[in-house]
């Protein structure tokens, strides 16, 4: 509230993201344009929510399989969901449905094959799904077991209606290019006590990673960019390793970063050295 008052005094436009506000703007990670990059960002964010303590070798292997499945499924959803649903943007609920119902994946793949150009472009993904998600495929039973990490994490993340309101928004989402180009102030309240579970961490992960993607993909405006500053409280709760660009190269992008953490136990050496 204090920052809002300061921004108003300087006539700086404000964007509020608040899961307790049903009319809040969203941060659906599927707004990232490139399908492969979108898959990478979503997999990093979800992986950052896993409990990595005392993981066995088998659990690490299953986690890697889950990450690969997330990336390929996001690519498939980015390409096919709008074509099958009047241009609507997919969301994380659709991703979870694909993990719990492999038939949906096969149906989208068969529709994709009807377009020769798309089938050629995404030939590797089609082969992956035919081997691991199709009925009677060789790897289906193993895949159903290995995607436990991804499906269980998504299930917990989306259990709160307030969380879904923000990260599954199909219609009204933040435009980081607009924020960067026009010097807007973004205030994100993760509401950990109202949301519970891992939902508040999910907001933070997706927000920071989508922002990082926008900052690095908008280089043509770098010389004229208005300097921005990112303040993150409880930074140790987020996917610190995946966000390394924020504290290593952001200076050259005219982005200052200030991180707050209760302990340094979860902060890596690269961050501490910067």
């Amino acid at each position: 509230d204090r920052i809002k008052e300061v921004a108003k005094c300087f006539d700086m436009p404000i964007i509020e993201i608040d899961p307790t506000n049903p009319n809040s703007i969203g941060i659906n990670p599927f707004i990232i344009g490139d399908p492969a990059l979108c898959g990478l960002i979503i997999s990093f964010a979800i992986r950052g929510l896993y409990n990595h303590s005392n993981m066995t070798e088998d659990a690490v292997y299953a986690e890697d399989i889950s990450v690969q499945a997330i990336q390929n499924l996001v690519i498939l959803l980015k390409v096919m969901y709008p074509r099958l649903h009047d241009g609507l943007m997919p969301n994380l609920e659709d991703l979870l449905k694909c993990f719990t119902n492999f038939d949906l994946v096969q149906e989208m793949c068969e529709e994709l094959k009807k377009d020769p150009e798309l089938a050629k472009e995404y030939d590797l993904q089609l082969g992956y799904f035919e081997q691991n998600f199709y009925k009677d495929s060789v790897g289906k039973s193993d895949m159903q077991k290995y995607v436990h990490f991804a499906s269980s994490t998504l299930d917990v993340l989306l259990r709160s209606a307030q969380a879904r309101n923000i990260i599954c928004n199909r219609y009204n989402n933040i435009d980081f290019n607009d924020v960067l180009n026009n010097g807007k102030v973004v205030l994100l309240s993760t509401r950990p006590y109202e949301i519970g579970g891992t939902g508040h961490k999910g907001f933070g992960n997706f927000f920071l990673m989508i922002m990082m993607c926008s900052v690095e993909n908008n280089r043509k405006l770098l010389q004229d960019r208005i300097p921005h500053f990112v303040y993150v409280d409880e930074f140790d709760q987020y996917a610190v390793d995946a966000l390394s660009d924020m504290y290593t190269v952001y200076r050259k992008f005219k982005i200052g970063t200030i991180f707050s953490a209760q302990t340094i136990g979860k902060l890596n050496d690269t961050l501490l050295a910067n």
Side-chain angles (χ1 to χ4, degrees):
D1 288 339
R2 179 167 178 263
I3 295 299
K4 281 194 289 184
E5 291 302 318
V6 172
K8 287 177 182 177
C9 289
F10 287 94
D11 294 322
M12 299 176 73
I14 301 170
I15 297 173
E16 277 192 86
I17 303 175
D18 185 350
T20 61
N21 177 5
N23 298 315
S24 173
I25 194 169
I27 45 175
N28 183 346
F30 280 91
I31 61 174
I32 297 172
D34 180 78
L37 181 59
C38 186
L40 190 65
I41 295 297
I42 291 177
S43 67
F44 278 163
I46 294 175
R47 192 173 197 167
L49 301 176
Y50 294 164
N51 180 8
H52 291 88
S53 60
N54 301 317
M55 289 184 68
T56 64
E57 186 175 336
D58 288 342
V60 172
Y61 177 74
E63 179 185 343
D64 290 339
I65 296 296
S66 286
V67 169
Q68 183 185 24
I70 291 171
Q71 293 179 2
N72 282 315
L73 282 170
V74 168
I75 290 173
L76 182 63
L77 283 167
K78 280 284 292 182
V79 173
M80 293 306 301
Y81 192 92
R83 287 175 168 80
L84 300 174
H85 296 86
D86 297 322
L88 280 180
M89 183 190 306
N91 61 28
L92 294 174
E93 284 187 291
D94 302 314
L95 180 60
L96 179 57
K97 288 176 183 177
C98 288
F99 279 123
T100 56
N101 184 358
F102 283 15
D103 289 344
L104 295 175
V105 179
Q106 183 169 342
E107 290 171 9
M108 281 192 288
C109 287
E110 291 304 310
E111 287 296 321
L112 189 151
K113 289 179 181 178
K114 295 177 182 179
D115 187 317
E117 291 186 8
L118 285 178
K120 182 178 179 180
E121 183 177 356
Y122 295 103
D123 179 63
L124 291 177
Q125 281 74 30
L126 285 172
Y128 170 83
F129 290 123
E130 288 172 352
Q131 185 175 0
N132 297 292
F133 282 78
Y134 271 46
K135 291 179 180 178
D136 303 321
S137 61
V138 176
K140 182 178 180 180
S141 60
D142 286 337
M143 182 59 64
Q144 288 174 322
K145 177 176 64 176
Y146 287 136
V147 298
H148 164 74
F149 277 100
S151 60
S152 60
T153 302
L154 273 173
D155 180 68
V156 173
L157 178 63
L158 300 178
R159 200 166 290 169
S160 164
Q162 294 170 319
R164 294 196 304 273
N165 183 50
I166 300 294
I167 56 178
C168 292
N169 195 320
R170 298 189 196 272
Y171 307 100
N172 180 30
N173 289 280
I174 188 169
D175 181 348
F176 276 104
N177 287 328
D178 178 47
V179 170
L180 293 167
N181 295 342
N182 295 300
K184 296 187 176 182
V185 176
V186 181
L187 301 176
L188 169 63
S189 299
T190 61
R191 304 290 186 187
Y193 302 111
E194 291 89 342
I195 299 297
T198 59
H200 65 288
K201 295 181 182 180
F203 295 145
N205 278 337
F206 285 121
F207 178 86
L208 292 172
M209 289 188 178
I210 296 171
M211 185 195 70
M212 186 168 69
C213 175
S214 300
V215 166
E216 297 183 3
N217 285 340
N218 197 353
R219 301 188 184 196
K220 64 181 180 180
L221 299 173
L222 183 57
Q223 286 186 332
D224 299 322
R225 176 176 290 162
I226 301 168
H228 281 70
F229 297 86
V230 182
Y231 301 83
V232 186
D233 195 14
E234 307 291 356
F235 184 67
D236 53 318
Q237 295 189 17
Y238 303 121
V240 177
D241 291 339
L243 297 168
S244 62
D245 278 7
M246 292 184 64
Y247 45 86
T248 54
V249 299
Y250 259 32
R251 289 181 290 275
K252 72 179 182 181
F253 291 114
K254 293 190 178 181
I255 308 289
T257 52
I258 298 176
F259 303 130
S260 168
Q262 297 291 337
T263 67
I264 62 171
K266 294 182 180 179
L267 305 182
N268 62 36
D269 292 338
T270 304
L271 188 153
L272 295 175
N274 277 268

